[in-house]
Amino acid sequence: MTAPLFDWIRSLDEDSVAAWANKGLVRRGLKVLADGAGARWSTGAAEATAHIEGFTQHIGRVGFEHARCDCPAQVTCHHLCAFLLGLRQHLPAGEADDAADPAPAPADWLLAECAMLAPMLGAAALRKALQWLANDIEAELENEAGSITGTLELAETVVVRLPAVGGLAGALCSCRKPACVHRALVVLQARRAAGRPIPPLPPVALDPDAAERLGHLRGWVESLVVQGWSGSGQAFLDQGEALAVELKQAQMPRVCAALQQLVALLRQDRPGAQDALAALWMLLRGLQATPPPRPLRELTGVHRRGYGAVGELELHCAGVERWGTAGGHHGFSVHFWAPARQGYLVWSEVRQQALAPEWDPDQALAQADLGGLAVKAMLASPCMLAPGWVSPNGRLSGRDGTRLRALDGDVRLPVLDDLGPVIARMAAALHDDPWRLAAPAACCIAITEQAPLQGERNSGAWSMPVCDAAGNRVRLQGGFDGTVYQELHKGQRAGLRIAALFGALRIEGGELMLHPISVRWNDNAAWRDLSVPWLRASKEKPR
């Protein structure tokens, strides 16, 4: 029987060591191994020691936290990376021969009885992980050669690695905490998938921190209703923005987005604040109901991104937009039509201006690529995503491993003559879930009638009424910041007519509103991006 420590060491590779340290330290460690000058190795029954570059490394138990080096580095170092990776070639006789020994025993977290999970995982972490499972918050599991990787999409992506050997001591989580809810969650999911029992799930409920934040939100909303729109000063709106951040930190991004939308409309004194307040109040009432009227994860929005793997997915770029929010975020989005899914997908990059003042969306967009394909190449022809990751709400991930390649042919979009079916789908979705935020629907519309641009700069907004071929009236709307208004105004002054529009359709105050992203003029078969007109250099500007 091989020592558990040596089983674990043989299972290590560059990726697992990099997940513990970082890729830079692994590269330096591999360089030290390649040089090989002066390194000395020794192994005992259940321990190993090396001398690399004048420093001593030692490990006597399974787990990265038990690896030690006497160099001056505070946390970890490239010597330990070289030690752990090089040690695989210096095991005692017979240990390096996989065929000489039986397979390692199943992991301790899999064999353990339910009563032992609390001391193994931490009682608090186990309790919260069970609550997450009850609320349908789960990680995406990948099982390869007995090693399990769990990816959890929260405010930030968290990755947990359970090695094939070494048990819980060899597990890693990207949050860097030794006993965390993420690791406990992946262990529970892996046990359940293997047919092993897990403790009973608690009732579906918000955790105390989230419930407290909702109480603060209710008080804020009630104050807004009592004092009215005119009484909501800037300090009160600032309080609302701060509360939105707290709601996001409490794992309620959907409530955060609803509150941010309301605050932005109040700051700009724009129509639609009443609808936004009603939507927020419905969401708040739903979350405070027992039992909740919808699955809790839908109401909180925690799992809205949960990406799933896809392959061989053809994409046609519909438009590119540059945008900013009242909350201080800015970025860009690239929209695609996916014929096989009969729907639109979007890939975005975003930064908070206060935290990354040097990041410029225009510069980032000019240099951006998704899966190795530059944005400008996506505009020129269809492309194939293979492999990639897509969320249920149509977002594309740019995670490592994504690959995109250009295809021959022309970009083709489904231009609608009648918005009726889209409107019916939006109404049906709202009927099925009245607690949801009415998400705009991406669509491409043929325009048969258009009125002149309307609006004054003093009001901060412009609009333009248009009609589709079926007579459905839609109002284009936006602010004077950016280039959308300028591009439409230039086209109108040049006598051009809008042949088709791609944008985000929403229902506001009983009226169809469209945020335009790209336009096709009557004198040109190509599309023009309204917020980044410089991006498609091959296009002619309106005369």
Side-chain angles (χ1 to χ4, degrees):
M1 177 71 68
T2 61
L5 173 63
F6 296 145
D7 284 334
W8 176 68
I9 288 173
R10 286 179 14 231
S11 74
L12 296 179
D13 57 19
E14 294 177 23
D15 290 338
S16 57
V17 176
W20 165 67
N22 60 58
K23 292 182 179 180
L25 290 176
V26 167
R27 284 195 295 268
R28 291 182 62 188
L30 291 173
K31 186 176 184 302
V32 169
L33 290 177
D35 292 342
R40 302 194 306 276
W41 307 81
S42 61
T43 55
E47 65 175 354
T49 303
H51 299 276
I52 299 173
E53 293 190 328
F55 300 103
T56 300
Q57 300 78 40
H58 177 265
I59 189 167
R61 295 175 60 187
V62 172
F64 290 105
E65 69 271 23
H66 300 298
R68 298 286 183 266
C69 178
D70 61 3
C71 78
Q74 295 295 319
V75 182
T76 186
C77 60
H78 69 280
H79 305 116
L80 285 178
C81 294
F83 173 55
L84 293 172
L85 292 173
L87 190 57
R88 297 173 298 177
Q89 308 302 319
H90 298 276
L91 296 175
E95 299 288 358
D97 185 1
D98 292 340
D101 296 297
D108 50 0
W109 53 263
L110 185 62
L111 292 179
E113 298 297 328
C114 282
M116 295 303 298
L117 291 178
M120 290 178 64
L121 299 170
L126 176 62
R127 185 165 54 250
K128 190 166 185 178
L130 289 168
Q131 188 68 68
W132 280 11
L133 277 182
N135 294 342
D136 292 329
I137 302 172
E138 298 186 2
E140 178 187 334
L141 298 187
E142 295 181 18
N143 194 326
E144 185 175 353
S147 177
I148 296 175
T149 300
T151 303
L152 189 61
E153 301 288 354
L154 298 172
E156 295 182 356
T157 301
V158 179
V159 179
V160 177
R161 292 176 173 84
L162 300 178
V165 295
L168 205 58
L172 281 175
C173 180
S174 60
C175 78
R176 303 288 181 177
K177 296 178 182 177
C180 63
V181 61
H182 316 115
R183 185 182 67 164
L185 179 69
V186 172
V187 166
L188 291 176
Q189 286 185 238
R191 281 177 64 96
R192 190 167 61 180
R196 295 289 296 164
I198 64 173
L201 300 183
V204 175
L206 290 168
D207 63 44
D209 180 57
E212 181 182 2
R213 296 296 186 274
L214 285 180
H216 295 165
L217 173 62
R218 186 184 184 99
W220 186 89
V221 170
E222 290 175 347
S223 297
L224 175 64
V225 173
V226 169
Q227 65 193 17
W229 310 124
S230 59
S232 56
Q234 294 301 314
F236 181 78
L237 297 180
D238 290 343
Q239 182 184 2
E241 284 193 348
L243 181 55
V245 174
E246 293 180 5
L247 290 165
K248 185 173 183 179
Q249 292 172 342
Q251 302 303 327
M252 291 186 286
R254 180 172 174 179
V255 192
C256 166
L259 179 55
Q260 287 177 331
Q261 180 184 32
L262 174 59
V263 171
L265 291 170
L266 290 174
R267 283 197 190 280
Q268 300 167 16
D269 195 23
R270 289 175 53 191
Q274 293 91 339
D275 290 344
L277 176 60
L280 178 60
W281 184 254
M282 284 285 289
L283 192 55
L284 180 59
R285 290 290 300 273
L287 282 163
Q288 293 183 322
T290 304
R294 302 286 298 179
L296 197 59
R297 66 181 180 86
E298 290 185 16
L299 296 177
T300 60
V302 166
H303 209 226
R304 69 178 178 89
R305 290 196 296 171
Y307 293 98
V310 298
E312 298 298 315
L313 185 63
E314 185 177 334
L315 301 175
H316 294 251
C317 186
V320 184
E321 63 175 326
R322 185 195 193 282
W323 48 266
T325 69
H329 291 80
H330 63 165
F332 65 82
S333 297
V334 184
H335 299 265
F336 299 94
W337 167 251
R341 299 170 70 99
Q342 287 296 291
Y344 288 92
L345 307 177
V346 61
W347 166 58
S348 301
E349 285 196 12
V350 59
R351 300 289 189 279
Q352 188 171 352
Q353 291 173 282
L355 298 180
E358 75 288 347
W359 191 78
D360 178 70
D362 283 336
Q363 293 180 4
L365 187 55
Q367 302 169 4
D369 71 77
L370 175 63
L373 187 65
V375 171
K376 288 189 176 182
M378 303 174 196
L379 300 171
S381 67
C383 47
M384 183 67 72
L385 182 67
W389 286 264
V390 180
S391 74
N393 65 339
R395 292 191 172 273
L396 287 168
S397 170
R399 68 174 61 176
D400 291 344
T402 299
R403 292 292 179 269
L404 202 66
R405 68 179 188 274
L407 301 175
D408 294 330
D410 297 325
V411 172
R412 298 184 183 277
L413 304 179
V415 181
L416 301 175
D417 293 319
D418 182 4
L419 281 174
V422 177
I423 300 168
R425 286 196 298 271
M426 294 173 70
L430 187 58
H431 181 270
D432 290 341
D433 182 4
W435 293 270
R436 67 177 291 165
L437 286 173
C443 57
C444 194
I445 315 168
I447 302 300
T448 58
E449 297 180 28
Q450 68 181 69
L453 277 166
Q454 303 171 357
E456 298 180 0
R457 291 192 175 272
N458 292 336
S459 69
W462 58 266
S463 65
M464 173 190 279
V466 298
C467 281
D468 66 9
N472 295 299
R473 299 187 64 81
V474 181
R475 182 176 296 277
L476 311 186
Q477 191 178 58
F480 287 103
D481 54 319
T483 63
V484 176
Y485 173 80
Q486 289 86 343
E487 288 296 306
L488 293 174
H489 184 60
K490 283 192 298 184
Q492 193 173 61
R493 288 183 58 186
L496 299 181
R497 182 180 60 80
I498 298 175
L501 281 168
F502 169 75
L505 184 72
R506 69 186 189 279
I507 302 174
E508 187 175 294
E511 186 178 11
L512 291 175
M513 313 291 287
L514 183 81
H515 165 66
I517 296 172
S518 58
V519 62
R520 196 179 72 202
W521 298 105
N522 63 322
D523 73 334
N524 196 329
W527 290 86
R528 183 174 184 81
D529 305 297
L530 292 169
S531 61
V532 282
W534 52 268
L535 189 58
R536 306 198 196 204
S538 61
K539 291 186 177 179
E540 294 291 335
K541 293 185 178 181
R543 297 183 296 275

